[in-house]
Amino acid sequence: MPVEVDAPMARFHHPPSLEDIVEMAEQAFGAIPKELRDLVRGVAIVVEEVADEDTAAEMGIESPWALTGLYRGTPMTRKSVLDAPVEPDTITLYREPILLEWVETGEDLFRLVRNVLIHEIAHHFGFSDEDIERLEGEE
């Protein structure tokens, strides 16, 4: 009897690296409609291993392993051209929690990275977690 290979795992013979996740995030970002990409211009997208304890505590999360992504910045709904420049808006994807969710759920890794990225972009546009959950439920 042939052994079935899990499709998401088939591409990788080792845990995907930071660079692999960056590549997926870039591909996912490139697939977003140009009109939306233009509105996200200037937002840095970075990948880190895992959030630190202080970040998790700041977000009200018990464990950094529960945080797959984070938007830091001022949502577009609260920006003004009169605001003094501050640190650039940043979307951080956390590799290890994403991989943990990938292994636990069996979801396609690219789709998971894309969903985390889109979730954080939604925060850039001023959507709350509740708004995003409601929109995801309408799919």
Side-chain angles (χ1 to χ4, degrees):
M1 175 177 233
V3 176
E4 290 188 29
V5 177
D6 183 85
M9 298 292 281
R11 178 174 171 212
F12 296 99
H13 301 290
H14 55 79
S17 67
L18 280 169
E19 292 77 21
D20 293 327
I21 303 297
V22 167
E23 182 181 320
M24 285 182 231
E26 288 172 351
Q27 289 174 352
F29 186 74
I32 294 170
K34 183 181 180 331
E35 297 80 19
L36 291 177
R37 275 196 325 264
D38 288 348
L39 293 172
V40 182
R41 187 174 304 166
V43 175
I45 299 172
V46 298
V47 179
E48 295 179 2
E49 290 294 340
V50 66
D52 59 41
E53 295 285 338
D54 291 339
T55 299
E58 177 186 330
M59 300 306 299
I61 298 171
E62 278 188 38
S63 168
W65 292 94
L67 189 61
T68 55
L70 179 64
Y71 168 75
R72 287 197 185 269
T74 304
M76 290 183 66
T77 55
R78 296 198 334 236
K79 286 188 180 187
S80 167
V81 293
L82 302 176
D83 289 341
V86 292
E87 291 183 30
D89 292 351
T90 304
I91 292 172
T92 305
L93 304 180
Y94 294 107
R95 174 185 166 270
E96 292 182 24
I98 288 172
L99 294 181
L100 181 62
E101 185 172 332
W102 175 52
V103 168
E104 288 177 347
T105 65
E107 184 172 350
D108 177 76
L109 182 57
F110 176 77
R111 181 182 168 101
L112 182 58
V113 169
R114 184 193 69 204
N115 290 349
V116 172
L117 179 65
I118 289 171
H119 182 99
E120 300 311 324
I121 288 172
H123 286 308
H124 171 68
F125 288 115
F127 287 81
S128 69
D129 281 330
E130 294 77 21
D131 294 333
I132 296 166
E133 285 178 25
R134 189 180 69 255
L135 290 170
E136 289 173 341
E138 293 175 3
E139 288 182 13

